Amino acid sequence: MDDTGTVIAFWMLAAITVGAALMVVMVRNLIRAVIFLILSFVGVAGLYITLSADFVAVTQILIYAGAVSVLMLFAIVLTPRGDRGNQETFLRLPALLLALLVAFTLGYVAIDTEWAISDREGFEETASVIGEALLDKYVLPFEIASVLLLVAMLGAIVIVRPESGVDEARE
Amino acid sequence: MRLEADWYDFRDLGNTVGALLEQIDDWGAPDWVPYVVSGLIGVLAILLWGVLSVLAFIWIERRVVGLMQNRIGPNRVGPSGLLQPVADALKLVLKEPITSREADTILFWLAPIVVFIPTLVVFAVIPFGERMVLADLNVGVLFLIAIGSINTIAVFMAGWSSNNKYALMGAMRTIAMLISYELIQVLVLLAAVLFVGSMRLGDIVAWQADYGVWLLFLQPLGLLGYVIAGAVEMNRSPTDIAEAESEIVAGYHTEYGGIKFGFFYQAEYLAGFAIAAVIVTLYMGGWTLWGAEEWVPGWLIFLAKLYGVFFIYIWARGTLPRLRIDQLMAFAWKFLLPLALVNVMVVGGEMLLWQEAELSSGQALPLFGVVNFALALALAGGWAWFLGQLRPDRVAHRAILTQKVGAIYYGEAAADL
């Protein structure tokens, strides 16, 4: 974070990320909100790149910008009266207070903590290191996560599956 | 392998650019200047090549498809109709850019621009020659997949903002299709990466040159999967159900005209070139040709292979009928996905065998090639036969939630739900 280019890139990306994130909650139209959310995801990916975390950055684009947001678009289009959009709600003030409180707490902790700075050199290639760590030291959490995803998928299939007999009754 | 040569050695245009950058460095410019200059040269070169190739291939494709369909094709503008693409481009630029009523104006105008970005950015990681790559990322293969997934969003923006039911239908089809085939892309590329042990595209080319074997001889199933998934991603016939003109007018770009349509058209061609470039790089040895790259410029070899692969897609477009959406989806999930999964497991086992049994590459690679080809034939043939034996469901299973929310109503049956 020393050379000028990185600093400029950081501030630009930070502005895009935060600005887009703000627009997500301020825009009334849900589809536009998701588009802004994607922009925010891309900004976060850019921040990862300035931190030399190339694998995480590309994964961020692939998973969040490419897959999760598309899922959201699908959900909005298939939702009845999804065109009502973001509406006024009495929870506006409490939500604002809570968000400010969280932001304040996180910011305070980030500034107040004495961060231990590692003197280790940065990784040349992060992908292979992450791969080895996932399949060696952290293999149990990795496997548990995949089982969790499988369970979620099965649950989704069970929920939307036609109940037995419905099809016959309709014919 | 590295070509050490003077700036006028055009076997690798990287020599020229490298010499120029050193010259700039000698003039005492700050160290960011060569960096920016090399980036600009790369971007301009790719853009220029892309636009010229697209213009050339519009003519080639129309003539070739014309020949295949026993008609003449464009032959009026210029000799043999050579200037037809230029005339088309001029016509598109001069047309009025219409924005339909009730359209979401901002997204409507943004979509043609956004659709262009991913198709251009892909070329940044493609090695056109030994030193002719804009950014040889060490996560190159993953980058390709990630950028491909961005395309979906641009198409959805176009389809949704048009405020046209055919456009929205096309957009939804694209998303359903791309998400399914992205999975297959990831799995077949994973198998290729397993073989090479690196996600850097330069390393993949170097690996194929070192062992003197193209990955397509070791990965027939992977190539099959990628060629089909690529055809879906570049959205061309026989898999162009997102704009199937006999079903939904023109799909997501129904409402687009003039230069905005031109952007979609150009992006579609560029995406086609990108897919062909990835196939060449990953499965056909990139810019190498068993030593011929010492004499012939590597970028010429690369472009020749690229155009060759793209020609196969044109051929497919001229000869194959379009698939129906349910056929295309079922093909992805029921046929290609199991094969791709088996392929990954087979490759994993082979790499384990290679390491544990300490085979030399001369023993291992021919063995793997023969085994994989036999497996590919047996698996693809057997699985197709097995799926053909299954009786199709008489009642199409539709998700009950979709019916209840009223997104899609079919006939009278849905009314009493």
Side-chain angles (χ1 to χ4, degrees):
Chain A
M1 284 292 289
D2 294 329
D3 56 314
T4 340
T6 318
V7 173
I8 296 173
F10 170 78
W11 283 108
M12 279 169 65
L13 288 167
I16 289 173
T17 311
V18 175
L22 274 177
M23 289 306 283
V24 173
V25 285
M26 277 156 48
V27 160
R28 288 280 175 244
N29 187 314
L30 283 179
I31 299 273
R32 285 190 184 179
V34 175
I35 302 283
F36 274 115
L37 190 64
I38 294 167
L39 188 62
S40 181
F41 286 149
V42 174
V44 173
L47 287 176
Y48 287 141
I49 290 175
T50 61
L51 297 171
S52 307
D54 43 8
F55 181 77
V56 183
V58 175
T59 317
Q60 165 88 8
I61 301 258
L62 180 63
I63 306 287
Y64 284 93
V68 170
S69 53
V70 169
L71 205 67
M72 288 181 185
L73 289 175
F74 243 126
I76 292 171
V77 175
L78 290 178
T79 302
R81 289 182 291 159
D83 54 347
R84 282 178 309 178
N86 276 339
Q87 292 198 328
E88 297 286 330
T89 158
F90 66 93
L91 287 174
R92 205 174 182 183
L93 206 63
L96 187 68
L97 279 177
L98 194 65
L100 281 179
L101 203 64
V102 170
F104 174 76
T105 315
L106 286 178
Y108 183 77
V109 169
I111 292 168
D112 193 53
T113 310
E114 298 232 344
W115 295 101
I117 294 170
S118 165
D119 50 2
R120 185 179 51 75
E121 287 284 305
F123 289 111
E124 274 295 306
E125 292 200 5
T126 50
S128 54
V129 184
I130 291 175
E132 273 161 30
L134 274 183
L135 290 179
D136 188 23
K137 194 173 171 187
Y138 300 104
V139 67
L140 194 62
F142 179 68
E143 293 293 336
I144 290 175
S146 21
V147 171
L148 186 71
L149 287 176
L150 181 68
V151 169
M153 201 163 72
L154 287 178
I157 292 173
V158 168
I159 287 174
V160 298
R161 211 181 143 80
E163 291 154 39
S164 54
V166 170
D167 280 337
E168 287 81 358
R170 222 187 308 131
E171 273 181 16
Chain B
M1 283 290 282
R2 171 146 296 205
L3 298 164
E4 292 292 344
D6 297 312
W7 66 269
Y8 47 79
D9 188 340
F10 292 135
R11 281 178 302 174
D12 195 323
L13 296 183
N15 294 327
T16 318
V17 178
L20 177 70
L21 295 182
E22 272 172 31
Q23 189 62 49
I24 291 175
D25 218 25
D26 284 347
W27 288 334
D31 50 358
W32 56 267
V33 174
Y35 195 71
V36 172
V37 170
S38 68
L40 279 179
I41 291 175
V43 170
L44 284 178
I46 289 170
L47 204 61
L48 200 65
W49 166 78
V51 171
L52 288 179
S53 291
V54 169
L55 282 181
F57 259 86
I58 289 174
W59 179 78
I60 293 173
E61 170 157 20
R62 290 180 68 178
R63 292 291 286 196
V64 168
V65 172
L67 277 177
M68 285 173 182
Q69 295 169 346
N70 206 5
R71 54 190 174 83
I72 296 171
N75 68 342
R76 292 286 137 178
V77 194
S80 309
L82 259 175
L83 293 178
Q84 185 66 44
V86 181
D88 283 353
L90 279 177
K91 183 194 74 176
L92 284 180
V93 173
L94 292 175
K95 269 189 175 177
E96 181 191 359
I98 297 167
T99 308
S100 51
R101 204 186 309 148
E102 301 286 314
D104 191 316
T105 320
I106 300 172
L107 289 186
F108 189 73
W109 279 86
L110 209 56
I113 301 167
V114 174
V115 83
F116 224 78
I117 299 170
T119 44
L120 269 184
V121 168
V122 166
F123 288 105
V125 294
I126 304 281
F128 286 79
E130 167 113 52
R131 295 168 69 188
M132 289 169 65
V133 49
L134 193 53
D136 205 0
L137 298 182
N138 60 39
V139 286
V141 173
L142 204 62
F143 179 83
L144 291 174
I145 301 165
I147 293 301
S149 69
I150 297 284
N151 243 332
T152 331
I153 292 154
V155 170
F156 183 84
M157 277 164 70
W160 180 80
S161 66
S162 298
N163 190 32
N164 174 320
K165 57 188 163 196
Y166 295 116
L168 188 61
M169 198 78 93
M172 295 297 277
R173 283 180 170 198
T174 315
I175 291 181
M177 204 168 70
L178 283 182
I179 285 198
S180 317
Y181 278 89
E182 210 164 83
L183 220 63
I184 288 146
Q185 243 183 36
V186 171
L187 284 173
V188 296
L189 292 186
L190 177 65
V193 168
L194 260 176
F195 246 113
V196 178
S198 170
M199 287 198 282
R200 192 192 293 272
L201 291 177
D203 286 354
I204 294 176
V205 175
W207 188 91
Q208 298 178 77
D210 283 349
Y211 290 107
V213 60
W214 291 355
L215 263 181
L216 81 89
F217 298 124
L218 302 169
Q219 278 292 301
L221 264 184
L223 182 70
L224 177 80
Y226 195 82
V227 166
I228 294 171
V232 172
E233 190 171 320
M234 70 171 84
N235 204 0
R236 289 170 64 86
S237 193
T239 53
D240 63 340
I241 56 160
E243 44 176 281
E245 56 276 307
S246 54
E247 299 164 22
I248 48 171
V249 190
Y252 61 91
H253 55 57
T254 302
E255 294 286 350
Y256 282 88
I259 191 62
K260 283 185 290 182
F261 168 73
F263 266 64
F264 281 111
Y265 196 67
Q266 180 108 345
E268 214 173 286
Y269 261 97
L270 279 178
F273 288 142
I275 296 290
V278 173
I279 290 173
V280 168
T281 308
L282 279 160
Y283 292 106
M284 297 173 68
W287 50 272
T288 63
L289 192 73
W290 298 302
E293 69 270 13
E294 299 282 332
W295 310 101
V296 187
W299 46 276
L300 273 185
I301 297 176
F302 180 83
L303 289 184
K305 287 182 187 171
L306 192 157
Y307 293 143
V309 172
F310 192 69
F311 186 82
I312 295 176
Y313 281 115
I314 293 179
W315 193 0
R317 188 190 149 179
T319 42
L320 295 176
R322 178 188 302 121
L323 285 111
R324 242 171 29 218
I325 178 153
D326 59 321
Q327 291 170 333
L328 203 61
M329 299 291 283
F331 188 66
W333 291 99
K334 289 181 182 164
F335 186 75
L336 282 179
L337 189 67
L339 290 189
L341 275 171
V342 171
N343 188 37
V344 170
M345 283 176 62
V346 169
V347 171
E350 282 173 351
M351 292 315 284
L352 206 63
L353 185 73
W354 193 355
Q355 279 174 6
E356 296 297 317
E358 289 174 2
L359 298 170
S360 71
S361 64
Q363 295 168 318
L365 292 178
L367 176 72
F368 294 163
V370 172
V371 168
N372 282 352
F373 255 95
L375 261 179
L377 278 177
L379 279 175
W383 191 233
W385 177 82
F386 174 74
L387 287 179
Q389 296 291 308
L390 294 177
R391 278 184 61 226
D393 288 343
R394 249 181 298 134
V395 183
H397 285 282
R398 248 175 281 128
I400 198 158
L401 200 66
T402 327
Q403 297 173 343
K404 272 186 181 156
V405 300
I408 305 163
Y409 275 145
Y410 291 93
E412 294 164 14
D416 52 34
L417 246 174

